[in-house]
Amino acid sequence: MTPLVDPFGRAITYLRVSVTDRCDLRCVYCMSERMRFLPRPELLSIEELDRLCAAFVARGVRRLRFTGGEPLVRRGFIDLLKGVGRRLGRGLDEITVTTNGVQLAEFAEDLFRAGVRRVNVSVDSLDRETFKRIARRDRLPQVLEGIDAAERAGLKIKINTVALKHDNAHELPDLVRWAHGRGFDITFIETMPLGEIDEDRTDQFLSLTSVREDMASYWRLTDLPDRTGGPARYVRVEETGGRLGFITPMTHNFCEGCSRVRLTCTGKLYLCLGHEAAMDLREPLRASADDALLHETIDAAILLRPKGHDFQIERMSKPATARHMSVTGG
Ligand code: SAM
Ligand code: SF4
């Protein structure tokens, strides 16, 4: 089968799959308190998700990341991982999961048994009150228990933290110390204008350029060449010995080497996180048990891939795209 290469010569080797738009938290930058979730029949079934993943692996995708919404709230998620996990070493190099950690204590061992070796856990604050304000749910203790369980199960952990001007800016150095002290990489993320929320995002936007300058004023930061085919850039914090990443879609362009496409929980393939270019794969998938039409549609979709994303800080108060990160997958 021919590998997927977009019109700008970039090979598609990474697929991010959102398995649900539902979540057990309501982070202020991500969704509204009264978020309206998709009706269940709209979602791809576990079997359909498995078939789509297999089709992409057959076309050269080597890494799969499962996300959401919160992937651990999706019924059948572990079965999906077990199915997909059988392709590890047969075209597929890695399966990873991005989770808020709330239910990780229950599922960590299952994840490991299914072939997952690395998880990204989102932690925006280590202070219970601040966590509760950001996530609108009092779940920090569960998340920390989940992280302990993941470590015991043998999973490598990376922490994701969205940098927020008012809520956690002052806490970022402590988060780095904590993560590095436990042997975890940590990545800061700038808020992105995706989907309607209850607040104005401009108000919480914190440029990571200034965060980095701040960190560099009391730590020695050494640029690392590490690239993951995505928007993160890494430095080594010499004093802690740990790795710190910055995901800065608003202030830096990361599109040139981008190898990623994203599949929503309804089967829409988005060719870029910050762009509307997309193609529905659910219809061709449901139209026939044979994958020919599906592969034709994937080929047509890849031709739509834009050169780069379309975020602008001046337009931050209005979402660049109407869809939430929880639908497309972060
Ligand atoms: N629920 C899981 C979690 O929180 O890790 C997985 C899905 S979540 C959409 C993936 C990542 O996207 C999280 O690290 C989250 O903090 C981040 N995120 C969500 N909405 C965002 C936004 N508007 N801008 C930047 N990052 C966002
Ligand atoms: Fe849920 Fe993740 Fe969005 Fe927070 S960022 S509301 S945990 S999907």
Side-chain angles (χ1 to χ4, degrees), residues 304-329:
L304 296 179
R305 199 156 190 256
K307 193 164 181 201
H309 62 61
D310 189 25
F311 292 137
Q312 275 178 33
I313 182 70
E314 306 83 63
R315 296 201 318 230
M316 188 107 190
S317 51
K318 276 213 193 99
T321 71
R323 72 200 135 92
H324 289 83
M325 184 82 113
S326 52
V327 174
T328 328

Side-chain angles (χ1 to χ4, degrees), residues 193-222:
L194 300 174
E196 297 285 348
I197 53 171
D198 294 335
E199 305 171 13
D200 176 359
R201 281 196 184 87
T202 358
D203 189 46
Q204 280 277 22
F205 179 73
L206 176 62
S207 157
L208 291 187
T209 310
S210 69
V211 171
R212 190 187 157 132
E213 279 165 13
D214 208 30
M215 303 271 159
S217 68
Y218 43 88
W219 279 327
R220 276 183 305 133
L221 307 180
T222 310

Side-chain angles (χ1 to χ4, degrees), residues 23 29-30 67-71 98-100 122 160 162 189-192 194 201 325-326 330:
C23 189
Y29 50 79
C30 181
T67 174
E70 173 49 40
T98 300
T99 171
N100 61 25
S122 301
N160 279 341
V162 173
I189 308 174
E190 277 176 356
T191 49
M192 293 173 236
L194 300 174
R201 281 196 184 87
M325 184 82 113
S326 52

Side-chain angles (χ1 to χ4, degrees), residues 20-32 37 67-71 98-102 122 124 134-136 162 324-327 330:
T20 176
D21 63 327
R22 283 158 205 267
C23 189
D24 41 7
L25 299 182
R26 294 286 183 283
C27 304
V28 288
Y29 50 79
C30 181
M31 50 176 89
S32 137
F37 296 110
T67 174
E70 173 49 40
T98 300
T99 171
N100 61 25
V102 172
S122 301
D124 294 332
I134 299 173
R136 296 201 191 94
V162 173
H324 289 83
M325 184 82 113
S326 52
V327 174

Side-chain angles (χ1 to χ4, degrees), residues 8 35 41 73 95 126 128 246 311 325:
F8 304 95
M35 178 79 175
V73 306
I95 305 174
L126 291 170
R128 191 162 172 174
F246 297 90
F311 292 137
M325 184 82 113

